Amino acid sequence: MSNKIVSVWTDNNFWKRSAAWITGFSAILLIWLTFDTLGQITQGTDTDMQKDAKGLYFSKRIPSATVINYKIGYEYSDKRGHEVPTINGKEKFFGRDDYSEEEAAALLHLGKLGSQAKNCMNCHTLLGNGAYYAPDLTKAWLDPKWKLMMAITQKKTREEAMAEFLQHPSKYPTHSRRMPNLDITAAEAKGLVAFLKHMSAIDTNGFPRNFGKKDITLRERSAK
Amino acid sequence: MTFIEPFTDMVPSFFGMLNQGPLTLTIFLHTIIILPMFFIYRQEKVRLEREGKQ
């Protein structure tokens, strides 16, 4: 090697090769990430659901639509360091616990379209998307406050109380920021409640943080 | 408190493993991007010196 002083920093070739490496590597990484995500976002089937129901936890991050036939819990996991949705046997949803995969999926679809048509995200947050003017709806199904709504609306079940509230929100003011009347029909309300119930069973790695920690975990623990 | 926390993701994945701590992904990406740049730098330096000699 000679002692001649050379500047690599001003050399075009160095920057060209570095840029090629970074661009090429990032492109491969992003393509890999795209396929890697599929496992995380693939919805489980009813067969998975029935298998999972023998245990406590879901095997898929997004359970089948038939999860509306089951009682969903929310338990603190010491291993994971946050709450995880759990399955606690069958539970009637609007009087039935035998929704087929097609029926349940149709109900969820109706709820999803309803949530988009009524622009829930304008005030609420769903799975991290939306606003924080009104309460976060990601785990709304699990909110123990629906028990109060059952008493106020004089309904026997949580889903009926939720559907009643959604149809006539101005009749049941719960907050200083009142939910406007959105002309939600009974069918739409049923779909929306199914949509929210399914969403609460999605494993969101504990999001939203500390949801109902005091209300649910302590109450359920003391009940055991 | 352990240095390497247990892997607790719902669906195991390579990127999940890289994302278990606040700096793990950053350190990995810097290693994989910056180290080859040192290699490229050295190669180019040698080439420039050789060309300068001629």
Side-chain angles (χ1 to χ4, degrees), chain B residues 30-47:
Chain B
H30 276 77
T31 309
I32 216 96
I33 289 167
I34 305 300
L35 281 186
M37 278 181 73
F38 277 107
F39 176 73
I40 295 169
Y41 181 91
R42 259 201 40 175
Q43 268 196 341
E44 289 301 314
K45 192 170 183 179
V46 169
R47 184 184 61 83

Side-chain angles (χ1 to χ4, degrees), chain A residues 76-89:
Chain A
Y76 185 81
S77 160
D78 284 327
K79 190 183 160 214
R80 296 182 59 185
H82 53 71
E83 278 88 357
V84 177
T86 55
I87 324 163
N88 303 280

Side-chain angles (χ1 to χ4, degrees), chain A residues 1 6 8-9 11 13-14 17-18 21-22 25 29 32-33 36 40 58-61 79-80 203, chain B residues 8-11 13-15 29 32-33 36-37 40-41 43-49 52-53:
Chain A
M1 274 188 207
V6 292
V8 183
W9 301 111
D11 177 48
N13 231 13
F14 166 70
R17 286 182 67 192
S18 296
W21 163 249
I22 295 167
F25 176 75
L29 198 68
W32 183 7
L33 261 174
D36 186 69
Q40 308 279 348
F58 293 95
S59 57
K60 285 280 165 72
R61 194 180 281 280
K79 190 183 160 214
R80 296 182 59 185
D203 193 317
Chain B
T8 56
D9 252 28
M10 175 91 186
V11 182
S13 85
F14 177 67
F15 293 99
L29 288 176
I32 216 96
I33 289 167
M37 278 181 73
I40 295 169
Y41 181 91
Q43 268 196 341
E44 289 301 314
K45 192 170 183 179
V46 169
R47 184 184 61 83
L48 284 172
E49 277 171 352
K53 217 174 170 183

Side-chain angles (χ1 to χ4, degrees), chain A residues 36-222:
Chain A
D36 186 69
T37 306
L38 292 177
Q40 308 279 348
I41 61 172
T42 305
Q43 187 171 20
T45 61
D46 189 37
T47 320
D48 292 327
M49 199 60 240
Q50 285 169 10
K51 245 185 258 167
D52 295 347
K54 288 171 189 154
L56 186 65
Y57 296 107
F58 293 95
S59 57
K60 285 280 165 72
R61 194 180 281 280
I62 303 169
S64 158
T66 50
V67 74
I68 59 170
N69 293 326
Y70 296 87
K71 186 171 169 30
I72 300 159
Y74 205 43
E75 300 262 343
Y76 185 81
S77 160
D78 284 327
K79 190 183 160 214
R80 296 182 59 185
H82 53 71
E83 278 88 357
V84 177
T86 55
I87 324 163
N88 303 280
K90 285 257 182 179
E91 179 187 62
K92 280 196 160 46
F93 184 75
F94 288 100
R96 282 179 60 192
D97 62 2
D98 57 351
Y99 291 91
S100 70
E101 206 156 10
E102 291 74 27
E103 280 177 313
L107 210 52
L108 248 63
H109 187 62
L110 177 68
K112 188 179 86 175
L113 294 183
S115 78
Q116 292 165 346
K118 304 295 176 185
N119 203 1
C120 300
M121 281 189 199
N122 212 20
C123 299
H124 295 278
T125 289
L126 308 171
L127 295 169
N129 301 302
Y132 278 104
Y133 184 75
D136 193 314
L137 293 184
T138 311
K139 300 287 169 190
W141 169 262
L142 302 164
D143 198 325
K145 285 182 188 130
W146 289 116
K147 273 185 190 143
L148 194 67
M149 189 53 74
M150 280 160 67
I152 298 169
T153 55
Q154 294 183 325
K155 298 284 178 189
K156 282 193 180 122
T157 61
R158 184 177 2 181
E159 59 271 23
E160 283 167 347
M162 284 171 86
E164 172 65 19
F165 173 74
L166 285 171
Q167 288 170 78
H168 314 284
S170 50
K171 238 168 97 181
Y172 310 103
T174 52
H175 204 273
S176 54
R177 295 175 188 170
R178 293 191 186 174
M179 180 163 155
N181 215 328
L182 299 167
D183 296 323
I184 295 170
T185 65
E188 280 170 345
K190 191 177 169 184
L192 283 167
V193 178
F195 180 63
L196 289 175
K197 183 171 182 180
H198 174 262
M199 192 183 292
S200 75
I202 295 175
D203 193 317
T204 52
N205 285 349
F207 174 87
R209 270 283 184 263
N210 299 327
F211 170 83
K213 206 171 225 175
K214 236 190 235 166
D215 294 329
I216 298 174
T217 320
L218 290 181
R219 196 172 296 170
E220 285 188 352
R221 276 182 186 170
S222 60

